[in-house]
Amino acid sequence: MKKIQMLIGGRWVGGEKDEWLPVINPSDGEQIAEIVNGTANHVDEAVRAAEAAFESEEWRAWKPHERGNLLIELARYIRENAEHFAELECRDVGKPLTQARADAEAAARYFEFYGGAADKVMGDTIPIEDGLLNATVLEPAGVTAHIIPWNYPLQIIARSVGAALATGNAIVVKSAEDTPMTAHALAEWFADSPLPKGIYNHVTGLGAGAGAALSAHPKINHVTFTGSVGTGISVMQAAAKNIVPVTLELGGKSPNIVFEDADEEKALDGVVRAIIQNAGQTCSAGSRLLVEESYKEEFLGKLKARFESLKVGRGMDDKDIGPILNKRQFDQIMQRIEEAKAQGKLISGGEAVKVEGGEGGHYIAPTIIDGLDHDCPVAQEEIFGPVLSVFTFKDVEDAIRTANSTDYGLVAGVWTKDIDVAHTVASRVKAGQVFINNYGAGGGIQMPFGGYKKSGIGREKGFIALRNYVQVKNIAVRFGGG
Ligand code: NAD
């Protein structure tokens, strides 16, 4: 059994004295590895190693373009080993291999993008008065913590670590206890890289142990947390005690809003893909369909046919939909489906699926539920499975009101040929990203991503995310006789 150790201060940590946790392949329930259940002491060691490395002369001597080149090298390494990374992610998360390959490419793109940005993060000169040169300098925050969810570990590590390393920080990653495999593969690369020891650290373990210890550590200078709202609140509370800023990327209940004049094929494709990707275990899943009342019957009929043609299978079999992460997630989703059946009308799916060779896994048929009240829990809360709830709207105002009727605001899709309608909806929907006649846009490495309302605080991806990891220092220089 592969034993995954933690990378702390350039050393591999984890031995007989430690508690070990199993890592399970969701496709068949087989154990694929073991991780250390990292403790508060391990976290403390990692943070102190990061702090020492950050303060070292060795790290200060690294020029921005050298950090950038290193990230670009990492991107190249991921591309050269894309199949290895994709298979690890596929076995660990359960997602279909094609989707895992897309994750490997997205991770490479993040490192490449932030590698290119490393020597282009600049301050301003600000005119004050004659005889005074005033400039802002963007300095690295210091030690940055990155708490990672289980659903897209490779991509999510790459997007925040890429930006934080580009800006010169020292990193502590806490990977998700269920899916540490690609996080470990990245740690192996960093361990062999020329980075000063302690600049990149990877700790494993449970959220309540290692995760809580990391977010509460007084020597952390910034926390990027991606995960559920409840945990996000705990992380923010812990960080608040140390006056440490947080970037929170949380959940969603994102609407796809389909008008009668939409390009039907594109809208059908978009709506299906937005909810089945990673079996719906995606923060930006399009889990609500809002369809114009007059068009509902026709659109829903075609959507049902599409749903019923989807294939469910093991990750490595590369079908449309893979397994649910584990029994706990499966039970939660099935409970929501049962509630939805009782409160509304089942249009498609709504049941567990048996998969040959995947008897030890948990699979759910892609599901459509109609006729729910807007305010019932199934319509309001993230289900995190392949479950689409359908609502109708009468006109543009009604569509906007319904789209904004949850506590979330991560992503929205609008499908119409009417430019006026499209922009009216886009300007009034409370969501961090709005897609018009598309959804998800190729991974969107360069596009700011983040939430309104309970979907989060701050933005990741794109240039804007570099700002998460810097302090702004103003320097005023008096010169001449003034
Ligand atoms: P989670 O909140 O259970 O766990 C996320 C991470 O936090 C894990 O590493 C976990 O070990 C750790 N953790 C748990 N308790 C902790 C605590 N008390 N203190 C510190 N860390 C703790 O989330 P999950 O189930 O892994 O992921 C699913 C959720 O993540 C969904 O809500 C999904 O929408 C969200 N998500 C959001 C984005 C985004 O970018 N907005 C991306 C992916 C997932």
Side-chain angles (χ1 to χ4, degrees), residues 254-262 267 271 286 288-292 295 299 391-393 395-396 398-404 411-417 421-422 424-426 428-431 434-439:
S254 299
N256 256 311
I257 307 166
V258 180
F259 287 85
E260 188 164 11
D261 71 342
V271 169
R288 289 185 298 150
L289 168 64
L290 278 47
V291 59
E292 195 163 357
Y295 184 38
F299 191 78
F391 305 92
T392 57
F393 61 85
D395 53 27
V396 173
D398 196 21
I400 294 167
R401 201 168 31 246
T402 309
N404 288 337
V411 175
V414 189
W415 303 85
T416 176
K417 293 196 188 100
V421 168
T424 302
V425 175
R428 302 224 348 247
V429 161
K430 293 191 194 321
V434 180
F435 292 98
I436 298 172
N437 297 324
N438 71 111
Y439 195 95

Side-chain angles (χ1 to χ4, degrees), residues 90 115 193 275 282 287 330 345 386 399 424:
C90 172
S193 79
I275 186 62
T282 303
S287 54
F330 172 84
K345 184 174 162 214
T424 302

Side-chain angles (χ1 to χ4, degrees), residues 20-335:
W20 292 78
L21 304 169
V23 180
I24 305 293
N25 179 345
S27 288
D28 55 18
E30 297 290 324
Q31 186 175 342
I32 50 178
E34 284 182 310
I35 51 165
V36 183
N37 186 12
T39 62
N41 285 342
H42 289 126
V43 167
D44 185 54
E45 219 186 303
V47 174
R48 286 179 192 283
E51 189 194 22
F54 177 74
E55 297 294 348
S56 68
E57 276 182 34
E58 189 188 358
W59 184 231
R60 263 203 302 281
W62 272 62
K63 299 187 176 78
H65 77 272
E66 291 169 341
R67 301 194 299 260
N69 286 345
L70 185 94
L71 293 174
I72 289 167
E73 247 176 65
L74 174 53
R76 195 176 307 127
Y77 173 79
I78 293 173
R79 285 220 177 84
E80 281 168 10
N81 296 279
E83 209 50 25
H84 171 63
F85 276 97
E87 285 192 16
L88 276 182
E89 198 78 325
C90 172
R91 289 184 203 284
D92 201 15
V93 184
K95 60 181 64 181
L97 190 57
T98 301
Q99 294 179 27
R101 286 186 181 125
D103 287 0
E105 174 55 20
R109 286 280 297 116
Y110 279 120
F111 286 124
E112 189 173 64
F113 178 82
Y114 288 116
D119 58 356
K120 299 165 193 75
V121 181
M122 289 176 254
D124 301 309
T125 54
I126 302 170
I128 308 286
E129 63 189 36
D130 190 34
L132 194 72
L133 173 64
N134 192 83
T136 58
V137 179
L138 306 185
E139 297 182 345
V143 178
T144 58
H146 305 254
I147 303 178
I148 308 299
W150 53 261
N151 57 349
Y152 288 80
L154 181 56
Q155 276 208 48
I156 289 174
I157 293 173
R159 80 181 182 201
S160 70
V161 165
L165 265 183
T167 40
N169 294 279
I171 311 291
V172 182
V173 169
K174 148 70 179 86
S175 54
E177 51 270 42
D178 293 295
T179 60
M181 302 301 283
T182 47
H184 176 63
L186 289 175
E188 284 181 316
W189 186 87
F190 278 113
D192 293 340
S193 79
L195 274 184
K197 298 201 180 326
I199 287 294
Y200 188 89
N201 303 275
H202 174 216
V203 294
T204 54
L206 297 173
L214 185 56
S215 50
H217 201 289
K219 298 282 184 184
I220 289 289
N221 302 107
H222 182 274
V223 183
T224 295
F225 169 80
T226 310
S228 57
V229 173
T231 314
I233 293 169
S234 305
V235 167
M236 193 172 173
Q237 283 172 334
K241 294 206 171 117
N242 299 315
I243 319 289
V244 164
V246 293
T247 301
L248 299 180
E249 295 287 357
L250 308 177
K253 193 75 182 174
S254 299
N256 256 311
I257 307 166
V258 180
F259 287 85
E260 188 164 11
D261 71 342
D263 179 318
E264 190 170 85
E265 282 301 301
K266 284 193 184 141
L268 283 166
D269 274 357
V271 169
V272 170
R273 254 186 299 124
I275 186 62
I276 67 161
Q277 192 177 319
N278 200 22
Q281 303 167 115
T282 303
C283 54
S284 54
S287 54
R288 289 185 298 150
L289 168 64
L290 278 47
V291 59
E292 195 163 357
E293 203 168 62
S294 51
Y295 184 38
K296 176 183 168 185
E297 217 165 297
E298 186 183 341
F299 191 78
L300 202 51
K302 291 180 178 160
L303 193 66
K304 177 176 160 65
R306 296 258 178 142
F307 264 55
E308 287 172 359
S309 72
L310 294 168
K311 303 269 182 297
V312 179
R314 293 177 299 186
M316 290 300 283
D317 296 337
D318 206 17
K319 306 291 188 205
D320 303 300
I321 301 180
I324 302 303
L325 177 76
N326 56 28
K327 172 90 166 63
R328 185 169 51 89
Q329 292 292 124
F330 172 84
D331 287 344
Q332 277 174 20
I333 299 166
M334 289 309 291
Q335 189 191 331

